[in-house]
Amino acid sequence: MNEVLNSVATPAAAPPDPLEKPVLTDNTGPAAPLLPPQSAVGTSENATARAAMVARLEESGVLGRGPVREALLALPREILLPHAYVRVSGPGADPIDWRLLDGSHPDDRQEWLELIHSDESILLQRDGEPLDALPRGPVTGGHMTSMSTYTPATVEALQAMELGSGQRYLELGPGPGVSLALAAAITGPGLATGVERDGPMAAFAQRNLDRLGIGAEVIKGDALEGHEARAPYDRIHSGIGVPCVPAPWVEQLAPGGRLLTTLATRTPSWPGQLLVTRTTAGTVEAVLRGRPRGYRPLLGYRWLNALDYRARIKDDPGTARSTRLAPPPDAAYGFWLAAAYLAPGLVRDFQAETMTIVAPEDDSWAVAGPGDGTVRGHGPRDVWAELEDLHARWEQAGRPERYRVDLRDSSGVQHVTSGAGPQALSWTLPLLARRPGGDA
């Protein structure tokens, strides 16, 4: 599972949202028997690290009581994450310098153990490389093609799906299988399936899952097709971002089921999380919300990048003018999500001192503030004027934080709206383009 946190280690959107917490309730009942005794036995050092991780997640408000917590405490994640890359190079370096930590090596063990129990994404694979005998130590070049989503996002997703014992679960893009293993520990053996496009990663994850003995299976295939052979599923979770919902995912969702995915746009800055439910009567409903983070898009999906403009903007931020719009807060997720679609082609530099938004394909940018009622702009596209206009429309629409997605159009077009009436914000999701090879 690849989380958008650049995924899938540094947040590509805003920092973790302090205002938006999952519902922390015991709404799924007890978990299934978690792990066979022989698999759950680990060193006291590992168990202590797991307990500290769980305590930290609880203290932050991300994790509540229930089966996800019990699975986190019981699952020896070191089996699934036996190594980890650490990036040595700074932003923008090419080629990139890495260092591989081998969890079995005494010189790496403490750093590795802390890393795999941290709130960071765990980098595991460069450019689809085989994973059987990676050499520890420094290595140069390559880009990460698979990693484990950082734990708070995994916890939020599993809790949002209200995963429980006896449910059939499908994971799309499971990567090394951490979330798949947690799901299997909750559902019980034989009910959790993953579809992974990368052959070496699928084999690596299956081998490690088999060591845990929890009855989860990883199948090599195109995640966009789901896995019809075991459908329908009570819960479907996508670890890859998609521009719209693939029809097979909805078709494979059981009555009463839940499907959770990231909707990917061309910007990593303002991701959306889509929750699809099928009622017991068979009706499909879908709600889209802006989020501070999401998952990386499917293979071949090209993001816009503000990094190349950082030095130019610092040297010449642009011409100053007054503005009626103070920089909207990061937590105005409903506004920023709308901006991803209704002011397309923009990407934010979250490392800038003041709010900086770039339109790379138009060689334009806007630098707001700091807090003096002015904005500086450069280029043929008036980026800030577009945001001023959109913000006014968003306020007229009632400052929506949730948007309804209509999946019923027989042509496959998926429509988004904030509500009824002429002032509602609305747009259409891009169609899902097939890529060479057909793999997600």
Side-chain angles (χ1 to χ4, degrees):
M1 185 165 57
N2 296 335
E3 202 206 350
V4 163
L5 296 172
N6 239 355
S7 34
V8 182
T10 303
D17 179 6
L19 302 178
E20 181 145 33
K21 303 296 183 184
V23 178
L24 306 182
T25 57
D26 285 321
N27 52 13
T28 57
L34 286 172
L35 300 169
Q38 67 271 21
S39 297
V41 173
T43 66
S44 59
E45 185 182 28
N46 295 341
T48 299
R50 289 199 299 275
M53 175 185 69
V54 167
R56 184 179 67 250
L57 292 166
E58 288 181 304
E59 184 177 353
S60 69
V62 170
L63 177 64
R65 297 281 175 175
V68 176
R69 178 183 183 276
E70 299 309 310
L72 283 167
L73 283 171
L75 183 75
R77 62 202 293 117
E78 63 273 9
I79 292 176
L80 299 169
L81 305 169
H83 68 266
Y85 281 101
V86 176
R87 178 169 175 147
V88 177
S89 298
D94 189 16
I96 301 171
D97 291 327
W98 312 91
R99 182 164 56 91
L100 184 81
L101 301 177
D102 181 348
S104 66
H105 196 283
D107 291 345
D108 292 346
R109 180 168 178 79
Q110 188 58 41
E111 183 179 359
W112 163 81
L113 192 65
E114 292 176 359
L115 179 60
I116 67 170
H117 290 92
S118 72
D119 289 346
E120 300 294 329
S121 290
I122 311 303
L123 313 178
L124 291 161
Q125 181 193 46
R126 293 177 305 139
D127 299 327
E129 65 189 348
L131 294 155
D132 293 330
L134 297 177
R136 66 176 291 268
V139 62
T140 297
H143 297 85
M144 285 296 145
T145 52
S146 191
M147 55 207 75
S148 176
T149 298
Y150 86 137
T151 305
T154 298
V155 168
E156 289 178 351
L158 293 177
Q159 290 184 150
M161 288 190 295
E162 300 179 357
L163 191 62
S165 176
Q167 293 176 341
R168 292 160 294 181
Y169 178 85
L170 179 64
E171 178 87 30
L172 303 160
V178 174
S179 58
L180 180 61
L182 290 167
I186 295 169
T187 65
L191 295 172
T193 304
V195 180
E196 171 62 44
R197 69 167 183 86
D198 184 272
M201 179 54 71
F204 173 80
Q206 187 65 69
R207 182 170 61 250
N208 294 331
L209 289 164
D210 288 345
R211 289 183 62 196
L212 291 176
I214 55 177
E217 184 173 358
V218 179
I219 296 163
K220 183 183 182 302
D222 184 356
L224 299 183
E225 298 297 331
H227 187 58
E228 187 177 5
R230 295 184 180 175
Y233 300 95
D234 302 298
R235 298 292 185 267
I236 299 176
H237 177 228
S238 171
I240 54 175
V242 288
C244 64
V245 186
W249 295 4
V250 180
E251 294 165 0
Q252 294 171 23
L253 189 63
R258 288 185 164 217
L259 185 166
L260 192 69
T261 187
T262 292
L263 284 191
T265 65
R266 295 196 62 209
T267 176
S269 302
W270 307 304
Q273 184 185 74
L274 183 69
L275 177 63
V276 181
T277 57
R278 186 184 293 278
T279 68
T280 54
T283 303
V284 174
E285 301 174 352
V287 177
L288 176 63
R289 304 177 67 186
R291 299 288 290 151
R293 49 186 168 261
Y295 297 125
R296 281 186 179 273
L298 67 169
L299 185 68
Y301 204 85
R302 296 291 181 181
W303 267 342
L304 298 169
N305 187 358
L307 184 62
D308 295 340
Y309 285 80
R310 187 174 291 167
R312 289 180 60 194
I313 294 172
K314 183 176 181 181
D315 290 340
D316 179 15
T319 303
R321 69 167 176 87
S322 60
T323 175
R324 65 183 186 274
L325 176 64
D330 294 343
Y333 301 123
F335 167 71
W336 292 117
L337 176 63
Y341 292 97
L342 298 177
L346 303 182
V347 60
R348 180 174 169 185
D349 182 355
F350 278 95
Q351 305 305 314
E353 293 182 3
T354 62
M355 183 173 287
T356 300
I357 299 176
V358 183
E361 294 177 338
D362 301 291
D363 194 39
S364 303
W365 59 75
V367 180
D372 59 357
T374 64
V375 63
R376 287 165 290 176
H378 168 88
R381 181 174 176 181
D382 194 336
V383 171
W384 200 254
E386 292 183 37
L387 294 177
E388 287 173 327
D389 176 68
L390 178 58
H391 194 270
R393 293 171 57 197
W394 180 66
E395 289 191 319
Q396 291 169 359
R399 304 173 66 89
E401 293 296 327
R402 298 179 176 220
Y403 299 87
R404 293 286 176 181
V405 183
D406 189 345
L407 305 178
R408 297 172 299 176
D409 193 316
S410 59
S411 69
V413 176
Q414 298 173 5
H415 304 278
V416 183
T417 181
S418 64
Q423 293 183 325
L425 297 179
S426 61
W427 61 87
T428 299
L429 296 178
L431 293 175
L432 187 64
R434 304 300 299 185
R435 293 145 334 281
D439 288 341

